Amino acid sequence: MSIGKYVATLATGVAGMAALHKTSSVRRQNSPFRRYWERHLVATLDDLHARAKEGKERPLIYVAFGDSAAQGLGASKITEGYVPRLAQALALGSGREVALLNLSLSGGTVQSVLGTQIPQLAGLQIAGEPVQPDVVTLDIGSNDVGQAWVSNESFTAAHQAMVDALPAGTFVLNLPSFGVLEAEKRAAAFSTIIGEQATDGGHHVVDIRTISRNMPMRTYMFDYHAPDLFHPNSPWYEVWAQEFANEICAVHGWPPIDVSGLDEWSGPIATDRDL
């Protein structure tokens, strides 16, 4: 092999290893992000319980259902996911302190929302009383798209059961574009089902699909996705938070909120340095 070919081959290998490292960095977020939200949930419930026992005013309770996007995977840090950003927007819009209960599950599907996340909320109590959320958001369906055994018919049935079980007036995100991937056809079909059933069920649809479809493909794929080209990155999560905030503020009659101008969210426990 000539020196030129050797150098070219080596450069290609190094580039490939760098891309693999970047992609795996998203996977490495899975466990620490999940552990953070578990600890955060317990701390928030403890705080709500203490407030109730002392007769203090209850903060606005925001419950997030969803998958790894609600966990914030792909963001530069956990506070740049759409859920904590939205919690900040809700505090400013409502003029109240916000207690965030993130019940999402990385890898979550419609079945896991129905089978584990909604029942988890039903089992939560504050001072012996069931938790009554003021705002509920949901992003789900992207992982269902990737499951070949999930047909349009089975997704329709499972999603309808989930919609029927959601708290009234949940804010439901439809599916963003899958770009040039073959799965885009399934994503489009599932997104239509999500929008129609959520609307018929009395919920509020947040339309992220139209925004993603109207972007130049290169911009969408490379400027608004994490290195794995599946999860959103921090700028795309900001757009998600903004769209949720727009819809929620309109429904509640709150003033519009510019998510990009908000201070960084902070919860009852500090985020670890590696998050």
Side-chain angles (χ1 to χ4, degrees):
M1 179 184 294
S2 68
I3 292 296
K5 287 184 178 179
Y6 175 78
V7 171
T9 300
L10 181 62
T12 300
V14 170
M17 289 297 292
L20 180 62
H21 176 74
K22 289 181 179 179
T23 299
S24 64
S25 68
V26 179
R27 292 197 301 270
R28 288 198 298 271
Q29 290 178 327
N30 198 338
S31 181
F33 278 38
R34 183 179 69 250
R35 297 306 179 205
Y36 173 80
W37 288 120
E38 290 172 348
R39 291 163 47 222
H40 176 271
L41 176 65
V42 172
T44 303
L45 289 171
D46 286 346
D47 179 65
L48 289 171
H49 179 78
R51 288 171 184 253
K53 295 283 283 186
E54 296 169 9
K56 293 182 178 179
E57 181 181 1
R58 181 177 71 83
L60 182 149
I61 297 178
Y62 165 34
V63 170
F65 293 134
D67 50 28
S68 56
Q71 293 268 305
L73 265 65
S76 297
K77 51 185 176 180
I78 200 166
T79 54
E80 293 182 357
Y82 83 85
V83 167
R85 280 174 160 163
L86 181 56
Q88 283 290 86
L90 297 181
L92 184 59
S94 67
R96 298 170 60 189
E97 189 175 350
V98 171
L100 167 58
L101 305 178
N102 191 344
L103 306 183
S104 62
L105 174 68
S106 184
T109 62
V110 166
Q111 294 281 10
S112 64
V113 174
L114 180 62
T116 64
Q117 296 180 43
I118 294 175
Q120 184 180 9
L121 174 60
L124 297 180
Q125 293 188 340
I126 301 172
E129 296 294 329
V131 171
Q132 299 294 332
D134 299 287
V135 174
V136 180
T137 63
L138 168 67
D139 81 83
I140 206 68
S142 291
N143 292 315
D144 297 84
V145 170
Q147 305 298 318
W149 58 269
V150 179
S151 64
N152 280 13
E153 293 74 21
S154 62
F155 181 83
T156 298
H159 190 268
Q160 185 62 64
M162 181 199 70
V163 164
D164 292 342
L166 285 172
T170 294
F171 293 84
V172 180
L173 192 78
N174 60 12
L175 294 184
S177 170
F178 274 47
V180 298
L181 298 179
E182 185 177 345
E184 166 61 5
K185 291 182 179 179
R186 280 166 58 81
F190 286 10
S191 189
T192 298
I193 294 166
I194 290 170
E196 291 177 349
Q197 291 186 339
T199 300
D200 292 344
H203 304 295
H204 309 283
V205 177
V206 177
D207 183 15
I208 202 66
R209 182 165 185 79
T210 298
I211 295 175
S212 62
R213 293 279 293 172
N214 287 340
M215 284 186 188
M217 186 57 63
R218 182 174 180 82
T219 299
Y220 176 56
M221 293 305 299
F222 295 104
D223 293 352
Y224 286 95
H225 281 84
D228 63 0
L229 297 182
F230 179 74
H231 290 91
N233 60 8
S234 292
W236 192 215
Y237 279 133
E238 183 178 302
V239 176
W240 286 30
Q242 186 66 66
E243 293 306 304
F244 269 115
N246 291 346
E247 184 69 19
I248 294 169
C249 288
V251 169
H252 286 272
W254 299 336
I257 301 299
D258 179 7
V259 171
S260 67
L262 297 175
D263 294 334
E264 185 171 286
W265 175 84
S266 61
I269 59 173
T271 52
D272 294 333
R273 185 170 58 184
D274 62 345
L275 296 181

